[in-house]
């Protein structure tokens, strides 16, 4: 592996980690900037679930904001991430556990999503972006939490 390839992999990993960090601070606009202007999000519930598409940076930002802004807390933990480079394009699979805490009639409810991202990345003007991100919700659990700080 060349130094350039190692650097490309690092930049792609940084995008995936930054995506999670930005969700945790509820910065949907900055999350959107990680995507190409015509980027696409695909949402899928389970491996065989129907796929719903959101295309374009602004619709992606609106969708992220609608998901994270109502939350009292958002917390992501990234797991394994495999990247396959092919010049100025790459593919990757990344795993994440995303916890969203919302108020439900005075009770703090946590929704814990175990997610697999199947990504396509593209490099433009020396910078990597997410071109397509399929978000597959593998497991979702909802429960009341007793101590929200």
């Amino acid at each position: 592996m060349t130094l350039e390839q190692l650097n490309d992999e690092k930049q792609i990993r940084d995008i995936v980690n930054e995506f999670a960090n930005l969700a945790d601070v509820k910065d949907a606009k900055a999350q959107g900037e990680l995507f190409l202007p015509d980027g696409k999000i695909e949402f899928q519930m389970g491996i065989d679930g129907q796929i719903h598409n959101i295309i374009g940076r602004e619709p992606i930002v609106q969708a992220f904001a609608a998901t994270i802004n109502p939350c009292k807390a958002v917390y992501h933990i990234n797991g394994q991430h495999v990247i396959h480079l092919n010049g100025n394009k790459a593919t990757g699979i990344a795993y994440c556990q995303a916890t969203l805490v919302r108020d439900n009639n005075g009770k703090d409810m946590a929704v814990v999503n175990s997610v697999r991202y199947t990504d396509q990345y593209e490099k433009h003007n020396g910078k990597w972006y997410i071109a397509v991100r399929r978000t597959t919700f593998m497991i979702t659990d909802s429960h009341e939490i007793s101590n929200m700080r």
Side-chain angles (χ1 to χ4, degrees):
M1 184 172 275
T2 68
L3 190 55
E4 181 180 4
Q5 289 170 321
L6 288 170
N7 187 49
D8 286 343
E9 278 197 7
K10 181 191 179 311
Q11 287 181 37
I12 291 169
R13 286 185 206 291
D14 287 349
I15 290 169
V16 170
N17 289 328
E18 189 66 16
F19 178 88
N21 291 342
L22 291 167
D24 291 350
V25 297
K26 300 183 187 181
D27 192 344
K29 181 166 177 37
Q31 279 184 297
E33 294 297 317
L34 300 174
F35 286 79
L36 289 173
D38 62 347
K40 179 166 73 167
I41 288 280
E42 302 171 341
F43 289 99
Q44 181 180 32
M45 299 304 289
I47 292 174
D48 297 326
Q50 183 178 357
I51 298 169
H52 303 277
N53 296 311
I54 301 170
I55 300 171
R57 240 188 221 155
E58 191 53 38
I60 288 171
V61 168
Q62 291 171 4
F64 290 158
T67 300
I68 59 178
N69 286 351
C71 295
K72 292 177 76 173
V74 180
Y75 185 76
H76 286 71
I77 300 173
N78 286 337
Q80 66 269 30
H81 185 194
V82 177
I83 299 167
H84 298 283
L85 296 169
N86 185 13
N88 286 336
K89 293 189 177 189
T91 58
I93 295 177
Y95 285 80
C96 177
Q97 187 172 70
T99 303
L100 309 174
V101 179
R102 293 191 173 114
D103 178 75
N104 186 0
N105 296 320
K107 295 180 181 177
D108 291 326
M109 298 297 294
V111 176
V112 181
N113 296 299
S114 298
V115 177
R116 180 175 66 201
Y117 297 115
T118 305
D119 293 336
Q120 297 173 36
Y121 313 102
E122 291 185 22
K123 189 176 186 180
H124 290 271
N125 298 320
K127 184 176 177 184
W128 284 95
Y129 294 90
I130 301 169
V132 179
R133 168 162 270 195
R134 177 171 293 176
T135 303
T136 304
F137 294 89
M138 307 296 286
I139 301 168
T140 297
D141 176 47
S142 180
H143 59 272
E144 183 178 356
I145 57 175
S146 61
N147 194 2
M148 177 70 194
R149 295 186 183 179

